[in-house]
Amino acid sequence: MAAPKSNVEEIRNRVILGEYGVRNVHTTDFPGNYRGYDDTWDQKKFEENFRVDIIEMDESTGTLEFDMVGIDAAIANAFRRILLAEVPTMAVEKVFIYNNTSIVQDEILAHRLGLIPVKADPRLFEYRSAGDEEGTEIDTIQFQLNIKCSRNPRATKDSTDPSELYLNHMVYTKHMKWIPIGNQADLFSEADICPVHDDILIAKLRPGQELDIVMHCVKGIGQDHAKFSPVATASYRLLPEISLMQAVEGDLAEKLKHCFSKGVIEIENVNGRKFAKVVNSRLDTCSREVLRYEELKNKVKLARVRDHFIFSVESTGILPPDVLVSEAIKVLMAKCRRFLDELDSSQVD
Amino acid sequence: MDVLAEEFGDMRPEQLAAPVNTVEEKWKLLPAFLKVKGLVKQHIDSFNYFINVEIKKIMNANEKVTSDADPMWYLKYLNIYVGMPDVEESFNVTRPVSPHECRLRDMTYSAPITVDIEYTRGSQRIIRNALPIGRMPIMLRSSNCVLMGKTPAEFSKLNECPLDPGGYFIVKGQEKVILIQEQLSKNRIIVDVDRKGTVGASVTSSTHEKKSRTNITVKQGRFYMKHNTLSEDAPIAIILKVLSFCNSTLCKAAPVTIDGQAMGVESDQEIVQMIGTEEHVMAAFAPSLEECQKAQIFTQTQALKYIGNKIRRQRMWGGPKKTKMEEARELLASTVLSHVPVKEFNFRAKCIYMAVMVRRIILAQGEHKVDDRDYYGNKRLELAGQLLSLLFEDLFKKFNSELKKISDQIIPKQRAAQFDVVKHMRQDQITNGMVTAISSGNWSLKRFKMDRQGVTQVLSRLSYISALGMMTRISSQFEKTRKVSGPRSLQPSQWGMLCPSDTPEGEVGGVEDEMEITPNTELLKELKHLLDNLDILQMQLDIITRPYIIVKKGNPAVTNKHIEELTQGYRNFEDFLHESLVEYLDVNEENDCSIALYEHMITKYTTHLEIEPFTLLGVCAGLIPYPHHNQSPRNTYQCAMGKQAMGTIAYNQRNRIDTLMYLLAYPQKPMVKTRTIELIDFEKLPAGQNATVAVMSYSGYDIEDALVLNKASLDRGEKVENKQVLVNKSMPTVTQTPLEGSAQPQQPQFRDVPITYKGSTDSYIEKVMISSNAEEAFLIKILLRQTRRPEIGDKFSSRHGQKGVCGLIVPQEDMPFCDTGICPDIIMNPHGFPSRMTVGKLIELLAGKAGVLDGRFHYGTAFGGSKVKDVCEDLVRYGYNYLGKDYVTSGITGEPLEAYIYFGPVYYQKLKHMVLDKMHARARGPRAVLTRQPTEGRSRDGGLRLGEMERDCLIGYGASMLLLERLMISSDAFEVDVCGQCGLLGYSGWCHYCKSSCHVSSLRIPYACKLLFQELQSMNIVPRLKLSRYNE
């Protein structure tokens, strides 16, 4: 349980969840802002405080949860923003429709194709230069989708199920075929370049309708279009901290337990009396349910640790989430380097 | 006690005290009702009645055509039928036609009207069957429509949407609706105060043969009858006398008072007895009797003579000359109060009717207890069937008189071939008459002095809702310009019949209303009205009725068992009616009933129980979740906006080629539904998307209801499509029709008249249709498509009358996000709430959020729906805040926001107003020919006008050069030569008036000014310009 802190300490380190609003939202530990605190930037101090703990990583779902502790919100947010918008991926950008007799209009079809996550390591490709229509092996991946729907000759007569009546009436991503350009066939295998999921429905067809499409995937970033975003979402929350101001016992303890997510509060038996105890405040979803009860409201303090970010990254499957995070860091580093370079060059002038 | 024992029989006390059983899910009656009746059943029933029954009556009434030229010649109609819709392929070869083909090929969906006739040719009597006399436009889904009784699969084969309500016509490829017209009831006594402040009663009688209006007024305490066939007002007592005497003359000769005296009442005493024997009633009527005495009218003959003298002279051609008495008797029998039948001059019924009118006036006097014209029981509805039957009758009569005219002309002439009418029966008169009336909406029938415009309207296909809304619309018959509040305001008697929300704003407010879901117009329901011991069969047409559950002895007749049987399909709605579990009530009947809204309100006096209170709202208002929590004007606004929402129109939308069609690429069904939404299948043809909304201020681009949209959400697909027809092909056209006879067959000349595509943005051609219309003319339709993405300035709205334009599109990373990483699709400014008081929207958000978490849809049905408490508890269970306010982190700073943000999904509609269609700017461009000033309007690439008020500002500011620049130089500057001597306009340095060029100087004036001078000259006014040096 958190030791009683001085007020300044709380303002500096905690975000307080009040009944009607959030207090102490802003970072205030600027150098010289507080008497008796040395807030000047210090590499050593930062290195001592800063840590990253990987909590959970699931390769199959592409999710990653990690803690980033001891860093300013602006930097943590920068990582989140870069993950969303600036880590490049490959996505369908140009669609050459040779034939489309389906009911899906060309534009909509192209849009749908664009949103399909394409598994291809973007680090191995270059951005396509502006005005380049053709594309080369270093900046383009080509897919082909050629499918025609027909009646199933073996369908039973009285069947009404479309999947039995027709062949190829559902166009899935598995129907997309990678056409290597140049030396791509030597560099990559079939497994390296393909749509991430093979069961994304692209269009539905009826007998006689067909699609004949060639797609060009290029490298791009989420800022340009959300289809290039490598994550389904990337966000963070601050570590919740629940502290009991008074001992809560008996039925109230029971009630308190129900006010939080499962596993946050447990009941402890001390000499036959039931006491509530905060076990794991990390699990709380911060629904602030306690604050609705007059009798509990003042016995609890809801806070969040200002510099403890619980990141959650959900990859679209193109790259594993850990790679995405390290890529994001690289992007930020590149930006910093560029900024420093610019500073240097302007000093020369 | 005995009474109680009788009433409650052997029920035990606890049984008596038990609460009234609630009928679970009695709303299930509604889908059953709609299955039988349908939303547009009024239209279809009325049309069916017309083509199956009424048309035969019309034929019977006009069955014989005779000729003055030959008394032996006649034409008699034996039968009349309306067939199935078809189209003539080639001469006399027809083929059934589908409605969709008519839409595409700009044809009329019509069926032949055929007759069986018997006529004479020479001395022969001939019977001909199935002779076409014209074509009748067929209402979709009526009994003669090809869609009748088809399954959804068959519908799709015909390219028709099974959810389409039908009830409209397709005329020249356009879908036309005959709006329901609301009118003051016919054949009903209405007591009213006239302009002078006196009480009077009036009846508009309407039967097949005649329409007349009878007024009874009071003048100096005496009653008079006013009728336009009488040259002056007739004292009522005299008329009553005639009427009462006539009755008795059948058996014996006896006198009557003037009014009553003509109608069969024995004596003054009998007249008074009919009117009423209360002291004050007798006192009120006494002066009228006195007048009768003064006029020396004691017998019926005297009375009839008196009336006969007052009859307005009518032109009478032919026929035996009638005496004045006969004329008077005829008039009273057939014209005055023509709806009360008179058989063999037995005037008793009519006499009593008139007495009742007098009595009503007497009772209404003093306290001014007059009838309310706006009371809905005094209203009746005129539907497609009646309007068409009027039209058809008129055309049929014209057709017959034409035949008579032809026979009169041709029979006397000696010809080789004998006169055969069949050869002169031309189809086009009736066909064209029907088609032009429906396509133009002008109903002008001379016989009834009817001349109405705008009876039909083009069915609005902006959205499914707009089409449905139009089919249930009622337009009232009163001048829209008049500033009277009465007809515009909501009448308590409209409860349950008309939707209180759905009415247009402004000028036409209240004039057009929407019908509700359940009301049902009964056609030709014969009601027996007891009128003072006398049964008068009143034919009441088209009253709105509404189904109610019958309550017997404090218990609803419908029980859970019945509903169970209904859901299992053992029963249908008709069975409920037949077993007297449910019955229809009209507005007048409702007055004599005690109707409970809910079971717990049932008392021992209750006669009926409401099925479900949400049926109070119409189709459009039924889409609103939690409308009972909203301020009422907001619901009205939403009713108007729901019709502009883009989405899906019908299942056949991809096959339609409409002038303009707005579709949504990915429509969604709303998270918060209502029962109405399910009933009208809005879920199957939705118009909108569930957007995650954060109610917060963001960026300042959200003032005045503007919305902030998430760019990533747009990237991921909120798309819009727009279609419009334009022919952008060049076609060779014949410039001249070949000259008649004179020249040799020349090579016809051609000229290119390309119809080009005009549009600010490109379109794709989706399909091209080449066909021919009914007249075999070449027809090309090209369907163009634009796919649009929401952009700044596009208009959106929630379902609570809260519209707003998109003010800013923000990248996802800048959007705030909650703990679970969700960021909103739309940010809405909270200032939209306090003044609008749309609490329903707040609840929709909560219910939507809980629904998303729970994986189910919540209901926001009016006067019901999911409870806020339950919904909020769901939120807590999933770890969200009870109030729906989330802890949110700013996407820009990365720090938490100081306020908790109200966050969750709300159903948003995209309205048809898009900037792309509206944006307009011009630097230079076309000018009007006459004034040489810039053209006006976006469509003509016009300039933006610096108007009078703007001009005043510039004058006030003294910016003279700016004014000069705006009003002349940049507009219509024109160089003119003016002669300094005569002050007239010259021409290329030469004054034509002075015949010299000495004093001519050149100056710049607006072209409009020069034009004015010349126009004045043409009117013999000579404007002269006085010139002086600029610097003198």
Side-chain angles (χ1 to χ4, degrees):
Chain A
M1 203 173 293
K5 278 189 276 300
S6 74
N7 196 27
V8 172
E9 199 65 17
E10 185 185 288
I11 291 173
R12 280 169 61 90
N13 297 325
R14 295 291 179 266
V15 174
I16 307 295
L17 301 186
E19 190 179 359
Y20 300 110
V22 190
R23 275 169 283 149
N24 307 340
V25 291
H26 300 297
T27 312
T28 48
D29 54 353
F30 315 117
N33 203 13
Y34 294 100
R35 177 173 290 192
Y37 287 92
D38 177 23
D39 284 325
T40 46
W41 168 258
D42 181 29
Q43 175 96 15
K44 212 173 131 208
K45 213 159 74 187
F46 173 75
E47 276 170 18
E48 264 169 31
N49 279 329
F50 182 73
R51 68 174 206 275
V52 172
D53 308 323
I54 306 280
I55 305 297
E56 193 193 349
M57 183 159 119
D58 189 339
E59 282 280 359
S60 62
T61 54
T63 53
L64 169 69
E65 189 180 316
F66 67 92
D67 287 11
M68 192 182 274
V69 192
I71 198 163
D72 193 75
I75 308 294
N77 191 35
F79 288 130
R80 184 190 68 89
R81 292 169 62 94
I82 289 168
L83 274 170
L84 282 172
E86 281 175 280
V87 175
T89 60
M90 303 293 286
V92 174
E93 174 73 6
K94 291 267 186 288
V95 179
F96 302 89
I97 299 177
Y98 297 106
N99 197 4
N100 169 20
T101 48
S102 76
I103 61 149
V104 186
Q105 295 93 339
D106 294 356
E107 303 94 295
I108 309 259
L109 187 67
H111 174 243
R112 290 180 71 85
L113 291 169
L115 291 176
I116 296 168
V118 176
K119 195 171 155 195
D121 197 332
R123 291 168 290 187
L124 305 175
F125 292 91
E126 297 292 324
Y127 288 103
R128 195 188 260 195
S129 51
D132 183 8
E133 290 296 316
E134 287 298 303
T136 59
E137 61 204 45
I138 52 156
D139 56 24
T140 306
I141 302 171
Q142 202 174 34
F143 281 100
Q144 195 183 35
L145 181 62
N146 198 347
I147 191 166
K148 188 171 182 174
C149 179
S150 57
R151 280 186 197 284
N152 187 1
R154 273 165 298 181
T156 47
K157 262 200 186 124
D158 49 351
S159 169
T160 51
D161 180 17
S163 39
E164 201 189 326
L165 279 173
Y166 316 121
L167 295 170
N168 287 335
H169 78 294
M170 308 259 255
V171 183
Y172 289 110
T173 35
K174 65 179 169 217
H175 295 118
M176 285 166 64
K177 216 178 122 216
W178 172 47
I179 311 283
I181 310 175
N183 65 349
Q184 282 177 350
D186 311 327
L187 293 171
F188 308 104
S189 70
E190 285 274 333
D192 290 336
I193 295 179
C194 61
V196 173
H197 307 278
D198 58 6
D199 57 349
I200 299 174
L201 183 66
I202 297 171
K204 285 188 180 182
L205 302 179
R206 281 294 174 268
Q209 298 181 339
E210 67 171 301
L211 293 177
D212 185 2
I213 292 168
V214 171
M215 293 158 257
H216 281 181
C217 300
V218 301
K219 192 172 171 178
I221 56 172
Q223 215 162 44
D224 173 40
H225 194 281
K227 68 184 174 188
F228 291 114
S229 184
V231 289
T233 191
S235 78
Y236 59 77
R237 62 191 180 106
L238 299 179
L239 177 75
E241 186 189 73
I242 296 150
S243 31
L244 297 179
M245 311 301 285
Q246 300 167 24
V248 181
E249 68 164 304
D251 289 345
L252 271 185
E254 207 54 58
K255 198 168 179 181
L256 186 76
K257 186 181 166 187
H258 284 290
C259 286
F260 292 94
S261 307
K262 226 182 217 164
V264 176
I265 304 261
E266 290 301 338
I267 307 288
E268 208 173 38
N269 243 325
V270 182
N271 305 331
R273 288 161 71 188
K274 288 196 264 181
F275 282 99
K277 187 188 168 201
V278 179
V279 179
N280 188 355
S281 56
R282 187 192 168 93
L283 296 175
D284 191 40
T285 54
C286 294
S287 70
R288 316 188 306 280
E289 179 70 2
V290 237
L291 303 181
R292 282 180 65 216
Y293 303 101
E294 209 56 47
E295 64 272 33
L296 291 173
K297 204 157 137 176
N298 298 319
K299 297 186 174 162
V300 191
K301 183 161 217 173
L302 302 178
R304 311 191 92 167
V305 182
R306 188 190 299 287
D307 62 352
H308 188 130
F309 299 93
I310 303 172
F311 262 87
S312 135
V313 178
E314 291 172 35
S315 166
T316 53
I318 297 173
L319 290 174
D322 53 333
V323 178
L324 287 177
V325 175
S326 60
E327 281 300 303
I329 296 167
K330 276 184 208 158
V331 171
L332 186 61
M333 281 163 69
K335 284 187 166 201
C336 294
R337 207 168 295 126
R338 168 118 192 265
F339 182 59
L340 290 173
D341 288 351
E342 290 287 326
L343 281 179
D344 288 344
S345 59
S346 61
Q347 271 166 3
V348 174
D349 294 336
Chain B
M1 273 313 281
D2 287 346
V3 183
L4 283 178
E6 199 182 298
E7 182 87 353
F8 299 108
D10 49 318
M11 285 168 93
R12 280 172 289 119
E14 52 269 34
Q15 268 181 317
L16 283 170
V20 178
N21 286 332
T22 51
V23 188
E24 303 286 332
E25 300 182 313
K26 60 186 164 143
W27 64 270
K28 280 187 178 156
L29 276 173
L30 293 166
F33 170 81
L34 288 177
K35 211 167 151 191
V36 183
K37 283 293 172 189
L39 276 172
V40 298
K41 203 69 181 174
Q42 337 87 23
H43 289 273
I44 295 168
D45 278 348
S46 127
F47 184 77
N48 283 350
Y49 180 79
F50 164 57
I51 54 170
N52 297 319
V53 183
E54 185 90 7
I55 200 168
K56 299 216 156 91
K57 285 190 186 163
I58 292 171
M59 183 214 74
N60 284 334
N62 308 287
E63 61 178 359
K64 215 160 181 182
V65 182
T66 52
S67 168
D68 297 336
D70 180 4
M72 294 297 287
W73 183 87
Y74 73 94
L75 162 72
K76 193 179 168 196
Y77 294 100
L78 300 174
N79 210 341
I80 189 164
Y81 324 85
V82 178
M84 294 298 277
D86 58 14
V87 60
E88 199 158 297
E89 285 277 80
S90 52
F91 186 70
N92 274 349
V93 180
T94 58
R95 149 183 86 81
V97 69
S98 74
H100 197 69
E101 186 183 337
C102 293
R103 274 192 277 255
L104 289 181
R105 289 182 56 198
D106 289 354
M107 296 189 306
T108 302
Y109 186 62
S110 61
I113 310 167
T114 52
V115 286
D116 296 346
I117 55 166
E118 181 188 296
Y119 68 103
T120 55
R121 190 170 65 196
S123 54
Q124 271 180 298
R125 204 177 73 195
I126 296 169
I127 291 179
R128 288 282 296 268
N129 286 339
L131 212 62
I133 56 166
R135 295 181 70 83
M136 169 80 64
I138 294 293
M139 181 182 276
L140 268 84
R141 294 208 154 189
S142 67
S143 62
N144 283 39
C145 176
V146 290
L147 304 176
M148 180 67 190
K150 290 260 197 303
T151 60
E154 289 170 310
F155 263 84
S156 56
K157 264 190 194 137
L158 289 169
N159 269 332
E160 204 57 38
C161 175
L163 300 180
D164 188 68
Y168 53 89
F169 300 90
I170 299 172
V171 174
K172 294 179 186 165
Q174 269 191 321
E175 294 167 316
K176 288 278 188 177
V177 193
I178 299 184
L179 288 186
I180 306 173
Q181 312 273 322
E182 177 193 280
Q183 286 182 333
L184 213 55
S185 254
K186 299 279 160 63
N187 304 344
R188 215 179 142 81
I189 305 169
I190 291 185
V191 180
D192 211 350
V193 184
D194 65 6
R195 256 171 273 128
K196 288 170 211 148
T198 51
V199 183
S202 66
V203 173
T204 316
S205 315
S206 162
T207 58
H208 270 293
E209 292 81 35
K210 276 221 164 70
K211 271 192 180 153
S212 74
R213 198 177 156 85
T214 313
N215 292 296
I216 292 183
T217 53
V218 193
K219 263 188 250 165
Q220 289 143 6
R222 295 184 201 108
F223 294 92
Y224 293 91
M225 187 187 81
K226 227 184 197 167
H227 201 272
N228 56 6
T229 50
L230 296 177
S231 54
E232 58 182 285
D233 300 350
I236 202 84
I238 298 178
I239 297 201
L240 279 174
K241 226 162 218 180
V242 178
L243 296 177
S244 54
F245 272 135
C246 283
N247 190 23
S248 34
T249 40
L250 290 173
C251 28
K252 54 178 180 184
V256 195
T257 67
I258 307 187
D259 242 25
Q261 272 161 359
M263 285 197 180
V265 187
E266 287 278 28
S267 59
D268 290 0
Q269 186 192 347
E270 200 179 335
I271 293 173
V272 172
Q273 274 172 347
M274 279 193 303
I275 291 168
T277 49
E278 294 96 326
E279 200 60 51
H280 72 280
V281 175
M282 289 204 292
F285 193 65
S288 301
L289 284 178
E290 265 171 43
E291 194 188 14
C292 191
Q293 298 286 332
K294 267 186 213 150
Q296 294 287 304
I297 287 160
F298 306 107
T299 65
Q300 187 193 12
T301 331
Q302 287 168 332
L304 279 175
K305 264 187 193 147
Y306 181 89
I307 296 163
N309 282 326
K310 291 194 169 174
I311 292 177
R312 213 167 262 171
R313 287 281 125 219
Q314 280 172 319
R315 280 194 298 120
M316 294 283 274
W317 357 265
K321 248 302 197 203
K322 284 178 191 156
T323 64
K324 287 216 168 121
M325 266 177 68
E326 275 173 328
E327 256 177 51
R329 199 160 62 166
E330 201 71 12
L331 176 92
L332 288 176
S334 65
T335 314
V336 175
L337 296 176
S338 55
H339 67 286
V340 185
V342 171
K343 273 193 194 120
E344 294 172 340
F345 293 112
N346 182 350
F347 283 116
R348 186 152 179 81
K350 204 169 259 191
C351 185
I352 289 167
Y353 197 93
M354 196 163 270
V356 169
M357 287 174 77
V358 175
R359 185 183 164 79
R360 292 275 305 273
I361 298 178
I362 293 171
L363 293 181
Q365 263 169 351
E367 293 124 83
H368 285 291
K369 281 192 232 153
V370 290
D371 290 337
D372 185 354
R373 282 174 164 273
D374 303 322
Y375 171 65
Y376 225 69
N378 289 333
K379 292 282 173 74
R380 59 162 225 158
L381 300 183
E382 205 165 34
L383 289 141
Q386 282 122 55
L387 285 164
L388 281 180
S389 81
L390 286 178
L391 184 71
F392 178 75
E393 192 174 3
D394 201 58
L395 292 168
F396 190 60
K397 282 196 164 144
K398 229 182 249 169
F399 178 76
N400 286 339
S401 68
E402 204 94 317
L403 286 182
K404 181 174 148 51
K405 216 191 270 167
I406 290 169
S407 67
D408 285 352
Q409 274 171 6
I410 296 179
I411 290 175
K413 292 178 191 162
Q414 288 300 319
R415 291 268 173 109
Q418 275 172 325
F419 175 67
D420 190 350
V421 250
V422 176
K423 284 179 187 148
H424 300 279
M425 287 169 88
R426 287 159 47 101
Q427 288 191 41
D428 50 346
Q429 197 180 14
I430 290 178
T431 311
N432 292 342
M434 302 292 283
V435 167
T436 43
I438 294 178
S439 67
S440 68
N442 297 334
W443 241 250
S444 57
L445 310 173
K446 286 190 193 84
R447 206 158 58 88
F448 294 129
K449 286 181 194 139
M450 186 180 178
D451 192 24
R452 276 198 227 154
Q453 257 113 53
V455 175
T456 61
Q457 281 183 9
V458 182
L459 181 62
S460 148
R461 285 285 189 182
L462 269 172
S463 65
Y464 176 59
I465 286 303
S466 74
L468 266 190
M470 196 150 194
M471 296 307 303
T472 54
R473 189 165 306 159
I474 290 173
S475 81
S476 88
Q477 284 284 305
F478 102 108
E479 293 158 64
K480 290 171 182 172
T481 46
R482 269 175 45 200
K483 292 229 158 48
V484 254
S485 65
R488 289 172 191 273
S489 52
L490 203 57
Q491 253 274 332
S493 57
Q494 289 169 350
W495 163 278
M497 306 294 170
L498 298 184
C499 178
S501 289
D502 199 353
T503 168
E505 298 165 60
E507 272 284 275
V508 282
V511 179
E512 282 181 8
D513 266 297
E514 207 98 343
M515 243 210 295
E516 277 151 38
I517 295 177
T518 45
N520 154 51
T521 54
E522 293 255 302
L523 293 163
L524 277 170
K525 191 182 173 191
E526 293 181 356
L527 287 177
K528 280 189 171 175
H529 272 245
L530 277 178
L531 284 173
D532 288 21
N533 315 326
L534 243 195
D535 288 1
I536 290 184
L537 209 64
Q538 266 199 330
M539 298 280 274
Q540 289 271 342
L541 292 150
D542 322 309
I543 352 155
I544 318 186
T545 58
R546 180 167 215 270
Y548 285 102
I549 295 172
I550 296 174
V551 174
K552 282 175 192 155
K553 288 185 185 168
N555 275 311
V558 176
T559 61
N560 286 334
K561 202 185 97 220
H562 293 125
I563 300 288
E564 209 171 281
E565 284 172 6
L566 180 81
T567 40
Q568 285 163 354
Y570 295 141
R571 263 171 199 284
N572 61 25
F573 196 75
E574 300 274 283
D575 297 332
F576 279 87
L577 288 174
H578 290 174
E579 287 170 39
S580 316
L581 303 171
V582 167
E583 69 177 348
Y584 291 119
L585 293 185
D586 77 1
V587 177
N588 289 310
E589 284 170 320
E590 277 180 345
N591 278 346
D592 303 327
C593 299
S594 164
I595 302 164
L597 203 53
Y598 297 105
E599 278 90 344
H600 65 81
M601 292 173 175
I602 292 178
T603 63
K604 66 176 182 178
Y605 302 111
T606 305
T607 57
H608 293 87
L609 174 67
E610 192 84 33
I611 294 181
E612 269 299 323
F614 75 78
T615 56
L616 189 70
L617 298 173
V619 173
C620 298
L623 296 188
I624 310 169
Y626 300 103
H628 51 303
H629 289 279
N630 282 343
Q631 189 201 6
S632 102
R634 290 292 139 192
N635 290 339
T636 304
Y637 297 154
Q638 163 56 26
C639 287
M641 274 188 297
K643 293 167 191 164
Q644 304 173 15
M646 309 199 310
T648 32
I649 289 170
Y651 284 169
N652 62 356
Q653 60 185 17
R654 303 294 300 275
N655 296 320
R656 302 175 64 100
I657 303 186
D658 293 355
T659 39
L660 211 64
M661 185 150 80
Y662 294 98
L663 303 174
L664 216 56
Y666 299 106
Q668 294 174 345
K669 50 172 154 172
M671 275 309 299
V672 184
K673 322 198 270 190
T674 64
R675 293 262 178 245
T676 314
I677 285 179
E678 289 176 339
L679 287 177
I680 61 170
D681 291 317
F682 177 74
E683 291 176 302
K684 293 177 187 162
L685 293 170
Q689 286 185 325
N690 295 296
T692 306
V693 175
V695 181
M696 60 181 277
S697 166
Y698 189 92
S699 81
Y701 285 92
D702 57 356
I703 52 163
E704 292 290 326
D705 289 333
L707 302 168
V708 177
L709 301 190
N710 185 340
K711 178 174 172 287
S713 311
L714 305 185
D715 288 346
R716 293 188 173 116
E718 272 185 30
K719 287 215 176 171
V720 147
E721 220 172 275
N722 167 31
K723 301 178 175 184
Q724 59 187 127
V725 172
L726 280 176
V727 182
N728 59 353
K729 296 275 159 159
S730 84
M731 302 188 293
T733 320
V734 186
T735 46
Q736 285 175 307
T737 44
L739 292 169
E740 278 175 46
S742 63
Q744 302 92 332
Q746 276 180 330
Q747 192 64 34
Q749 291 184 343
F750 289 96
R751 185 163 56 108
D752 276 354
V753 184
I755 297 167
T756 49
Y757 174 69
K758 293 175 214 118
S760 48
T761 36
D762 301 345
S763 298
Y764 295 96
I765 292 175
E766 176 145 308
K767 56 169 83 144
V768 179
M769 188 196 80
I770 300 174
S771 178
S772 61
N773 64 8
E775 279 88 51
E776 302 287 310
F778 202 46
L779 181 75
I780 301 176
K781 282 189 178 179
I782 295 175
L783 187 63
L784 299 170
R785 160 166 51 89
Q786 278 179 1
T787 304
R788 296 180 183 172
R789 189 189 144 106
E791 58 181 327
I792 289 174
D794 283 2
K795 200 170 167 188
F796 296 86
S797 139
S798 69
R799 285 181 291 170
H800 303 269
Q802 302 243 52
K803 54 176 185 261
V805 291
C806 166
L808 184 70
I809 294 173
V810 167
Q812 189 190 351
E813 60 270 23
D814 283 346
M815 278 283 178
F817 58 96
C818 72
D819 270 1
T820 34
I822 302 167
C823 52
D825 298 317
I826 292 176
I827 294 178
M828 187 208 144
N829 195 300
H831 285 100
F833 284 113
S835 57
R836 317 280 161 75
M837 294 183 273
T838 50
V839 180
K841 186 168 174 177
L842 300 174
I843 304 176
E844 184 193 345
L845 185 142
L846 283 178
K849 192 169 175 180
V852 166
L853 294 169
D854 234 357
R856 68 197 183 98
F857 292 97
H858 275 286
Y859 282 95
T861 314
F863 314 111
S866 310
K867 297 257 183 321
V868 174
K869 196 160 173 268
D870 304 344
V871 162
C872 290
E873 264 153 22
D874 275 358
L875 288 181
V876 172
R877 209 168 49 246
Y878 286 97
Y880 280 81
N881 181 250
Y882 183 86
L883 298 169
K885 292 173 161 191
D886 290 345
Y887 166 95
V888 159
T889 312
S890 164
I892 302 173
T893 64
E895 287 171 344
L897 295 181
E898 278 189 57
Y900 297 120
I901 302 299
Y902 204 60
F903 201 94
V906 174
Y907 196 64
Y908 261 82
Q909 303 161 315
K910 184 165 193 326
L911 305 184
K912 63 169 184 178
H913 308 282
M914 285 177 281
V915 263
L916 198 65
D917 302 324
K918 312 225 158 163
M919 63 174 193
H920 171 54
R922 124 166 187 169
R924 68 199 69 196
R927 278 145 198 271
V929 182
L930 185 71
T931 58
R932 300 199 185 175
Q933 286 173 352
T935 51
E936 206 183 321
R938 185 184 116 97
S939 54
R940 274 164 293 189
D941 191 25
L944 296 175
R945 186 179 152 92
L946 186 105
E948 269 170 272
M949 295 169 99
E950 291 81 0
R951 183 206 62 164
D952 292 346
C953 288
L954 292 181
I955 293 173
Y957 192 71
S960 63
M961 292 319 279
L962 184 60
L963 267 173
L964 193 70
E965 190 271 333
R966 280 291 91 197
L967 297 179
M968 185 172 83
I969 297 165
S970 292
S971 174
D972 57 346
F974 185 66
E975 201 91 10
V976 280
D977 290 335
V978 181
C979 175
Q981 196 142 42
C982 62
L984 296 179
L985 299 184
Y987 181 74
S988 58
W990 172 261
C991 175
H992 210 69
Y993 186 76
C994 309
K995 306 277 183 225
S996 100
S997 58
C998 318
H999 302 283
V1000 175
S1001 39
S1002 172
L1003 61 139
R1004 290 225 286 172
I1005 58 168
Y1007 187 83
C1009 182
K1010 171 245 162 195
L1011 186 70
L1012 175 74
F1013 294 156
Q1014 289 178 327
E1015 281 178 355
L1016 286 172
Q1017 281 179 347
S1018 72
M1019 291 188 294
N1020 261 348
I1021 301 167
V1022 183
R1024 289 184 196 273
L1025 292 169
K1026 277 188 185 155
L1027 303 182
S1028 62
R1029 290 248 161 246
Y1030 182 52
N1031 46 7
E1032 271 168 21

